Amino acid sequence: MRGRFITFEGIDGAGKSTQIAACADWIRCRGHVLQQTREPGGTPLGERLREILLHQSMHLETEALLMFAARREHLALLIEPALARGEWVISDRFTDATYAYQCGGRGLDETKFRTLEAWVHADLQPDLTFVFDVPPAVAAERLAQGREATDRFEREQRDFFERVRAAYLRRAAGSDGRIVVLDATRSPAEVSAALLACLEARFQ
Ligand code: TYD
């Protein structure tokens, strides 16, 4: 049986990392083999592209093309083979991030986005996607407490993250239930409880 593919999304500082760990525990406790990965990245070439994407400024369409180039490699080398072997895959970000950041944040043309999405993974979408939703002001506070902004996305202004957040919510509204939006202003324990309840409901 084919494995399951779960992705995690949200603006920088929404608190994805803690919740990814909770999800990974849930999956392993049920006896599944798990591949835990991230985008951009997840393969040797993808990680090199990540370095460039996070630190080198570039034209917005170059940015979108490189995100999808890294994703093509990720699907071919890691995601598709793992799912075919019946393993579960969880990825810290996937194509919904390109919609939110490049279309929403940067203003990439949506028709071009859809062309790339259809080219790179016409027949595949995650089985389930969590969007951790927080107002940018809350996310900025959390980031400031943790560490310095380390990449060029984290250094974007508040209005950029407002647009990214709105794009995630639009994408969720049109996703037929694939994307679940969780209110991530709550405590980590409350968000985990909501996430685990959702996993139980979808996959039991
Ligand atoms: P992130 O996943 O937040 O990693 P970290 O927690 O280590 O900072 O960083 C990746 C950044 O890349 C994030 O700011 C969003 C951005 N990004 C896009 O703009 N488009 C994409 O398609 C993807 C996958 C990520």
Side-chain angles (χ1 to χ4, degrees), residues 145-192:
Q145 282 169 7
R147 54 190 162 87
E148 290 292 297
T150 50
D151 66 57
R152 63 192 188 89
F153 292 101
E154 289 179 2
R155 286 192 292 270
E156 286 289 346
Q157 301 302 309
R158 194 70 52 86
D159 61 331
F160 176 86
F161 289 110
E162 294 287 1
R163 295 195 300 278
V164 173
R165 181 191 190 195
Y168 271 130
L169 298 179
R170 273 202 307 282
R171 181 107 165 140
S175 77
D176 279 335
R178 171 178 67 86
I179 301 176
V180 173
V181 178
L182 295 176
D183 171 6
T185 59
R186 296 172 291 178
S187 71
E190 287 171 312
V191 180
S192 288

Side-chain angles (χ1 to χ4, degrees), residues 7-196:
T7 59
F8 291 79
E9 302 283 354
I11 62 172
D12 295 82
K16 277 182 290 123
S17 310
T18 322
Q19 305 306 335
I20 288 174
C23 180
D25 286 345
W26 186 91
I27 292 169
R28 288 205 186 91
C29 281
R30 271 146 196 83
H32 302 293
V33 177
L34 174 66
Q35 299 288 338
Q36 202 174 324
T37 186
R38 68 173 180 180
E39 288 207 350
T43 66
L45 175 60
E47 291 294 326
R48 290 177 72 183
L49 291 171
R50 179 186 178 93
E51 271 308 300
I52 298 169
L53 279 160
L54 264 47
H55 302 294
Q56 161 92 55
S57 58
M58 62 187 78
H59 187 273
L60 71 96
E61 291 187 354
T62 311
E63 189 175 279
L65 287 163
L66 288 181
M67 291 291 179
F68 272 108
R71 183 162 300 133
R72 186 69 196 89
E73 194 73 4
H74 197 197
L75 283 160
L77 266 61
L78 192 152
I79 298 172
E80 290 282 17
L83 293 174
R85 289 192 300 266
E87 298 170 10
W88 287 44
V89 177
I90 62 184
S91 185
D92 184 347
R93 303 191 184 283
F94 191 64
T95 296
D96 301 313
T98 313
Y99 181 78
Y101 280 77
Q102 277 66 53
C103 294
R106 302 255 194 256
L108 174 73
D109 176 67
E110 290 198 17
T111 306
K112 289 181 178 168
F113 165 83
R114 278 193 293 276
T115 302
L116 291 172
E117 181 182 36
W119 183 9
V120 170
H121 57 97
D123 303 323
L124 177 140
Q125 285 293 346
D127 296 290
L128 178 62
T129 297
F130 292 106
V131 169
F132 298 94
D133 184 51
V134 286
V138 174
E141 238 168 67
R142 288 182 183 168
L143 277 182
Q145 282 169 7
R147 54 190 162 87
E148 290 292 297
T150 50
D151 66 57
R152 63 192 188 89
F153 292 101
E154 289 179 2
R155 286 192 292 270
E156 286 289 346
Q157 301 302 309
R158 194 70 52 86
D159 61 331
F160 176 86
F161 289 110
E162 294 287 1
R163 295 195 300 278
V164 173
R165 181 191 190 195
Y168 271 130
L169 298 179
R170 273 202 307 282
R171 181 107 165 140
S175 77
D176 279 335
R178 171 178 67 86
I179 301 176
V180 173
V181 178
L182 295 176
D183 171 6
T185 59
R186 296 172 291 178
S187 71
E190 287 171 312
V191 180
S192 288
L195 177 133
L196 296 179

